Structure formats: C-alpha cells, structure tokens
Amino acid sequence: IRLNKKEKTNNNEVLKDIFNKDKQSIASKKDKVYNVSTDLLNKWNSYENLLNLKIYSAYRKNVSRGFSGNAEIYFAKGLTINNAHFWIGKNNYNNLNLIFDIGQIKAEERNIKKLANLNKQSYMINYYSKFPLWLRRNLDDQINENYKYSPIVVEQGINWITKINSGLFFYSDGSKQKAISLNSGPEIILGGFKKDFFDYTKINLLGIFTLKSGNSPFIFDDINKTQRLEFNLEQQFLGPLLFSYKSYLDIDHNSDNYGEFSKATYGLDLKRRAYKLGAFYNTYSDTFGFKFEIFNFNYDGRSPEF
C-alpha cells in the first residue's frame, strides 16, 4: 500500500520502473541487498513510502545464525506489518524498515533439547545504505545479445554497505531480549558477466558489531553478540558457472573461537539470463540443497528478440 501521495512524490513512475522491470532485483528479507541500476541512480531522485502486510506460516524452516551455524523453526504462524521507506539520490540508495511482528512459534529451546511453543512480539528498525566509492562508467544502458548469463547490466564498482538492525523481542514465558547491530564494509564488483572466463567477481566484507541484553528462550533467534567479519565471494569461472563461498571470522577477543573461521557454505550456480539453477553445501550442519530461480516475471516492456 503506497502511503505517500502521488503529487508529493518525485518521479514515481521512474521508481515504479526500477522496482518492477528488469533493471531491479529486490528482496524482502532484511539481510538481503537491494541492487539498483546506477544509470537510474545518476538520473533521478526518488522517494517511496510503502505499507506491507504479510500473513505467514512456516514449517521446518532453517535459520542462519552466522558464526553459530543454523537452527530450525519447527512451526510458526503470524502477522508482519512493515512500513518501508526507499529514497534514491544521485549517488546513493537507502532503505528504512519499521517492522512489527506477532506470531506463535514452536522451536527448540536454548538451553534444553526440547521444543517450546510460545507467542512472540517483535519491534524492529532496520536501515540499509549503499554508497558508491567508485563506479565504472560507460556501461551498457540495457542488456543486449552479449548478456547470456545475467538478466541485468552488472553494476561494476566499489560500494560501501552499511546496515543497522535493532529490535525488541518479547516472549509469552516472560523472556525478552533487545539488541542493536552495525554491519559495515566494502562491496567490490568487477566484470560484466558477458565473457566465458573469469568475467565476474563479487566480494563482500562486512564487519558485524552487536550489543544486546537478555536472551531468547529459543535457539534460532537468540542473537549472536560475537564480533565477527562476514566474507562472501562469487566468482564466475567458466561460462554460466558461478562459484560462491561464505564464512565468518571471529574477531571477538573474549570468544573461545577468536581468530578462527566458521565452517563455510559453498555454492555452485548455473546462471542464464532468464533463470538460475543452483546447489549449495553447508559444512556446519553437513546439509546440501538445490534452488531454482526465474527472472523478469514483472517485466512488461517491449524489446527486440536476441
């Protein structure tokens, strides 16, 4: 639901194009990155204020806990209300989410290997910023016959990513926890993913610093306050094949794992302009899985075939 009035919004139609067409890949999770076309960033200043309502249900859902590995929600149902603000300037992109969530959760307890069934209320404020330090100029305005492996023009450059997540969490057994975390670091993207050999490299290095008080009665959402570095790598090595790697380095002097890397997650994707097939292996939980994505469902433009 759009909250800002059309007459008070600058370039709403352009912003709509950004969100709905092949120039934009957007994610609803707070820990995901929003990729916006640099050409549009350089030409427009836009603002959007949205209200998102979600009713959800989940069964046997795995949740990543960073350095502490994965945990599982056995069953959950609830309601999420999210007031999302997007503003795009000439050289930056920002997203602010005000979130209220209420739900019933069944999951493993934190201190006992036993399932607990509790109600939970969450109040969260999440902020994301992407600021370019260097951008490669003279990129294609739109995809053409050279883009066999990507649905969008790859925005090459060096960006500084900042994420601030804060929250208050209340549980029906009387437990509560509150926390704020700062994630910040560079994102480096080189290569257009058009050639057949080593034409795309993406590296993310984020420092994660967390302050918290209280604890969750569950394992899956007990916030990890270990100070750490998150390392993500994506590397094309042959045609549509893309290798990925994700791990954490413990930099907390008070931690027993100081100076150690967490067990990594490896991935191998086959990327084409219209779809992506992938497989991953998590060495912490000794699990593997497959994924399949189709791009550009919302594209309503007209372009020549190639």
Side-chain angles (χ1 to χ4, degrees):
I1 303 171
R2 177 182 287 171
L3 298 181
N4 53 314
K5 295 181 179 180
K6 185 174 182 180
E7 62 270 19
K8 294 184 179 180
T9 306
N10 186 22
N11 300 316
N12 270 307
E13 293 306 314
V14 174
L15 190 60
K16 180 180 177 182
D17 287 344
I18 292 175
F19 289 139
N20 292 336
K21 296 187 179 179
D22 63 340
K23 284 285 188 178
Q24 171 70 17
S25 175
I26 219 165
S28 59
K29 296 292 185 180
K30 66 182 180 181
D31 57 343
K32 299 287 185 68
V33 174
Y34 298 78
N35 301 313
V36 180
S37 166
T38 303
D39 292 335
L40 290 172
L41 285 180
N42 290 334
K43 293 177 181 178
W44 305 98
N45 294 304
S46 301
Y47 170 73
E48 189 81 343
N49 182 8
L50 304 175
L51 179 65
N52 301 311
L53 306 176
K54 179 174 71 172
I55 298 174
Y56 64 86
S57 181
Y59 175 69
R60 302 302 294 267
K61 179 180 179 180
N62 281 314
V63 178
S64 174
R65 302 188 63 243
F67 201 90
S68 301
N70 292 350
E72 185 181 70
I73 299 174
Y74 186 79
F75 181 75
K77 58 183 178 181
L79 168 69
T80 300
I81 302 173
N82 177 13
N83 181 208
H85 301 259
F86 306 91
W87 62 101
I88 301 173
K90 182 177 180 181
N91 291 309
N92 63 83
Y93 174 77
N94 300 272
N95 172 220
L96 176 67
N97 288 280
L98 309 175
I99 304 169
F100 170 72
D101 180 275
I102 184 168
Q104 184 179 22
I105 299 172
K106 187 175 184 179
E108 185 178 337
E109 293 188 29
R110 181 169 53 88
N111 295 320
I112 307 173
K113 199 167 184 62
K114 175 184 175 183
L115 293 177
N117 194 350
L118 300 173
N119 295 325
K120 176 185 176 182
Q121 291 186 34
S122 305
Y123 304 85
M124 294 171 283
I125 301 176
N126 300 325
Y127 172 72
Y128 171 85
S129 173
K130 181 176 181 178
F131 183 82
L133 302 178
W134 170 78
L135 296 174
R136 182 174 177 180
R137 303 298 179 183
N138 301 318
L139 297 175
D140 295 328
D141 291 332
Q142 59 187 5
I143 63 170
N144 52 46
E145 63 273 10
N146 296 321
Y147 287 88
K148 298 181 293 183
Y149 311 130
S150 175
I152 60 173
V153 176
V154 176
E155 300 296 342
Q156 302 178 53
I158 301 175
N159 302 297
W160 193 266
I161 305 296
T162 301
K163 295 189 285 186
I164 302 174
N165 301 322
S166 62
L168 295 171
F169 309 93
F170 301 94
Y171 305 86
S172 57
D173 68 343
S175 302
K176 64 179 180 179
Q177 65 173 336
K178 54 185 177 180
I180 182 169
S181 69
L182 170 65
N183 303 0
S184 190
E187 173 191 71
I188 303 171
I189 303 175
L190 299 174
F193 216 147
K194 296 188 290 184
K195 301 177 182 178
D196 290 332
F197 302 99
F198 298 96
D199 191 36
Y200 177 77
T201 301
K202 180 178 179 181
I203 299 173
N204 285 88
L205 185 63
L206 291 178
I208 304 175
F209 306 93
T210 304
L211 297 174
K212 67 165 286 189
S213 65
N215 293 291
S216 168
F218 298 114
I219 289 180
F220 83 91
D221 69 340
D222 189 53
I223 296 170
N224 186 344
K225 63 179 180 180
T226 303
Q227 318 307 321
R228 57 200 186 276
L229 289 176
E230 177 184 329
F231 178 76
N232 286 277
L233 169 68
E234 293 182 357
Q235 177 64 61
Q236 179 215 19
F237 61 93
L238 176 64
L241 295 178
L242 184 73
F243 169 78
S244 63
Y245 172 88
K246 180 178 181 179
S247 186
Y248 295 87
L249 174 64
D250 193 328
I251 57 173
D252 192 333
H253 289 276
N254 298 318
S255 172
D256 295 334
N257 299 312
Y258 174 70
E260 297 181 7
F261 279 94
S262 69
K263 293 186 176 181
T265 298
Y266 300 92
L268 182 64
D269 295 331
L270 188 152
K271 290 195 66 175
R272 302 292 294 186
R273 187 172 60 246
Y275 63 87
K276 179 172 74 172
L277 295 171
F280 63 89
Y281 175 61
N282 187 317
T283 58
Y284 187 94
S285 57
D286 195 28
T287 57
F288 68 92
F290 301 94
K291 55 187 177 180
F292 175 57
E293 296 180 52
I294 300 178
F295 306 124
N296 299 331
F297 271 113
N298 292 326
Y299 180 72
D300 58 1
R302 296 291 182 268
S303 61
E305 294 182 357
F306 51 81

